[in-house]
Amino acid sequence: MSPPREGSAAPRVVVVGGGFAGLEAARALAGAPVRVTVVDRRNHHLFQPLLYQVATAALNPSDISAPIRAVLRRQENAEVILAEVAAVDPARRVVRLADGGQVEWDFLVVAAGATHSYLGRDDWAPVAPGLKTVEDALEIRRRVLLAFERAEREGDEAARRALLTFAIVGGGPTGVELAGALAEIAARTLAADFRHIRPESARVVLVEAAPRVLPAYPGKLSEAARRQLERLGVEVRTGTMVTGVDEAGLSLGAERLPARTVLWAAGVAASPLARALGAPLDRAGRVRVRADLSVPGHPRIFVAGDLAAVVTGGGAPVPGIAPAAQQEGRHAARNVLRLLRGEPTLPFRYRDKGLMATVGRGAAVARIGRLQLSGLVAWLTWLLVHVFFLIGFRNRVAVILQWAWSYLTFKRGARLITDTAERWRLEAERRRAAPAAPGAPAQDGAPPPGDGAPAPGPSLH
């Protein structure tokens, strides 16, 4: 159990999750007569809207991340615990940690976020990574860059075409942004770097089951995004269901699409922690909160961000975007303070600040109130908004400089192919489990050079 600060008997507010909702809830309690404890299994806050730029080698992870302790260091009533929450005990007002510890609370704000949803086909996850964490982004970057490296050495034309085919499943903002960035990498960044392949001949295919990309956006903007993608050379397939995914590609009904790199952007599911609250859940596993964001039957527990199923005054669902999560986090904190003062809680009112997605260099779509923008104006608006919402002066400067350099030179400065000890371990286990060909030498567990992993030797950082 994390002990209270010495000499303080103030009520403890535990915030689970250091994302947009959790961090805003903690900061909204600055100066209040409470002790704030933020619990997260990662030590950093991640600016997820720019995570795709890490995955496509435009930015480094440190450019869009900030240590949670550093963000809250000036908030004297706040502390941070690096741990994973395994369960919540509402009766005893205890959060149980995966390492066996526990944290007591007087009020609880759960903002544990969401993870990938493979629509009941979790077996697709190893071959079609999603994009939620820094590790996901680095894995996607590794696969994309390795595809070009392997194609450079591949002598078989059909195999080379499959290596240079990139399929993105899901035409929401993440899928659109990934597709546009991959098309630019192939056409601009890598065009002159290889001797035996033409990177600009790479095929980028965006697959969406709905009738149009960006289905949550107005039809005019969806069509504008499609046109901008197609100008970049992206092949857009709408109204198309994915029926199979494996290491060799996709099955689109009766059609087979050979693609050695498949990326998943088709759906999200709430954190499994939602089930631990014993509250009613929606189809995506999110908590059906009351109007004030509290859990039914537990007025001292609030849920915010991607974990909460919230509806607007008109009955429409609140979108799972950063501004909405921030508003929910602040509102949950305000209601905690109202309860402390003996006042009734207030219902959450969502203030729609718009939607925006970038398609590529100088291309984006945006809806701000009733104003609909596309092209260069939308792109400039997207740049300004995202820089403004980044946490930390250093990150804002770093991102602006990287974007300026990339815009002027068409280069991307984070083109490192990285590997992890965990992937090496899994690869070694796979090789040991695979039957050896007659007469083949025994495997020692290490992937050989040329198979997507570096030759054995010192690790360079």
Side-chain angles (χ1 to χ4, degrees):
M1 181 178 71
S2 177
R5 293 180 183 270
E6 186 175 352
S8 174
R12 168 177 274 173
V13 181
V14 171
V15 179
V16 178
F20 288 107
L23 203 57
E24 283 300 308
R27 296 165 87 176
L29 294 170
V34 296
R35 292 172 292 135
V36 180
T37 300
V38 178
V39 184
D40 199 300
R41 62 182 177 178
R42 302 183 187 278
N43 79 325
H44 57 271
H45 168 80
L46 178 65
F47 191 77
Q48 281 193 342
L50 292 181
L51 192 57
Y52 85 96
Q53 295 213 356
V54 176
T56 54
L59 296 174
N60 289 299
S62 59
D63 296 335
I64 62 168
S65 305
I68 298 173
R69 292 186 183 277
V71 175
L72 298 176
R73 65 174 172 239
R74 298 183 187 278
Q75 187 170 329
E76 294 184 358
N77 69 338
E79 64 176 355
V80 179
I81 295 177
L82 179 64
E84 182 174 0
V85 174
V88 175
D89 187 339
R92 294 186 57 203
R93 294 184 188 171
V94 166
V95 166
R96 302 191 188 280
L97 308 179
D99 59 10
Q102 64 181 34
V103 183
E104 297 177 352
W105 50 268
D106 296 291
F107 298 91
L108 180 65
V109 178
V110 184
T115 185
H116 316 297
S117 171
Y118 287 87
L119 311 177
R121 292 301 306 267
D122 290 345
D123 55 309
W124 294 351
V127 292
L131 186 59
K132 285 293 181 185
T133 67
V134 167
E135 291 80 4
D136 293 336
L138 294 179
E139 174 62 13
I140 290 174
R141 185 181 74 180
R142 184 188 70 82
R143 294 191 185 201
V144 168
L145 296 179
L146 270 178
F148 288 99
E149 296 292 343
R150 290 171 174 167
E152 175 80 348
R153 299 176 57 189
E154 180 58 62
D156 181 77
E157 182 59 30
R160 180 183 288 180
R161 284 199 300 270
L163 283 166
L164 292 179
T165 299
F166 302 88
I168 300 96
V169 182
T174 299
V176 166
E177 290 169 345
L178 275 173
L182 290 177
E184 288 191 333
I185 287 175
R188 299 281 190 174
T189 306
L190 303 179
D193 288 4
F194 292 85
R195 299 295 177 262
H196 303 291
I197 61 171
R198 295 177 57 250
E200 61 270 29
S201 68
R203 183 183 180 190
V204 180
V205 183
L206 179 63
V207 182
E208 168 57 46
R212 55 189 176 92
V213 297
L214 300 177
Y217 287 53
K220 177 182 176 182
L221 294 184
S222 294
E223 184 57 33
R226 179 173 188 141
R227 289 195 304 269
Q228 292 171 10
L229 285 169
E230 291 174 341
R231 278 199 294 268
L232 287 172
V234 176
E235 183 180 334
V236 180
R237 303 270 197 101
T238 52
T240 304
M241 291 288 295
V242 174
T243 55
V245 182
D246 55 43
E247 292 184 353
L250 297 174
S251 294
L252 308 174
E255 180 186 358
R256 180 66 180 172
L257 175 64
R260 293 294 298 277
T261 303
V262 180
L263 307 179
W264 190 264
V268 296
S271 165
L273 190 60
R275 294 191 292 271
L277 298 176
L281 308 178
D282 69 359
R283 293 177 58 187
R286 297 174 301 180
V287 178
R288 295 185 183 275
V289 295
R290 298 175 63 229
D292 62 356
L293 303 184
S294 67
V295 173
H298 300 288
R300 288 173 174 251
I301 302 177
F302 296 88
V303 181
D306 289 338
L307 200 65
V310 188
V311 296
T312 64
V318 174
I321 56 178
Q326 291 175 321
Q327 292 177 38
E328 291 169 14
R330 288 192 293 267
H331 190 82
R334 293 190 192 104
N335 275 339
V336 166
L337 296 178
R338 292 185 68 86
L339 288 175
L340 284 173
R341 295 192 295 264
E343 301 172 356
T345 58
L346 297 176
F348 174 71
R349 295 285 182 264
Y350 173 58
R351 296 181 298 280
D352 186 357
K353 296 186 177 181
L355 299 167
M356 54 182 61
T358 180
V359 179
R361 177 188 174 92
V365 293
R367 176 186 61 76
I368 305 172
R370 296 183 179 180
L371 183 64
Q372 297 183 20
L373 305 172
S374 63
L376 180 61
V377 174
W379 184 68
L380 292 173
T381 304
W382 181 91
L383 292 178
L384 291 173
V385 168
H386 283 71
V387 169
F388 175 80
F389 277 103
L390 272 170
I391 291 180
F393 177 77
R394 180 260 173 205
N395 284 1
R396 290 171 182 155
V397 172
V399 168
I400 290 173
L401 291 177
Q402 286 278 12
W403 281 347
W405 185 78
S406 297
Y407 186 84
L408 294 174
T409 66
F410 294 96
K411 301 297 181 184
R412 291 172 182 255
R415 284 168 46 195
L416 301 180
I417 298 176
T418 57
D419 217 329
T420 64
E422 177 66 9
R423 203 188 75 83
W424 273 64
R425 183 185 66 79
L426 294 173
E427 181 71 10
E429 290 179 357
R430 183 183 69 82
R431 291 178 177 279
R432 282 194 295 267
Q443 295 289 339
D444 61 2
D451 193 39
S459 176
L460 302 180
H461 299 279

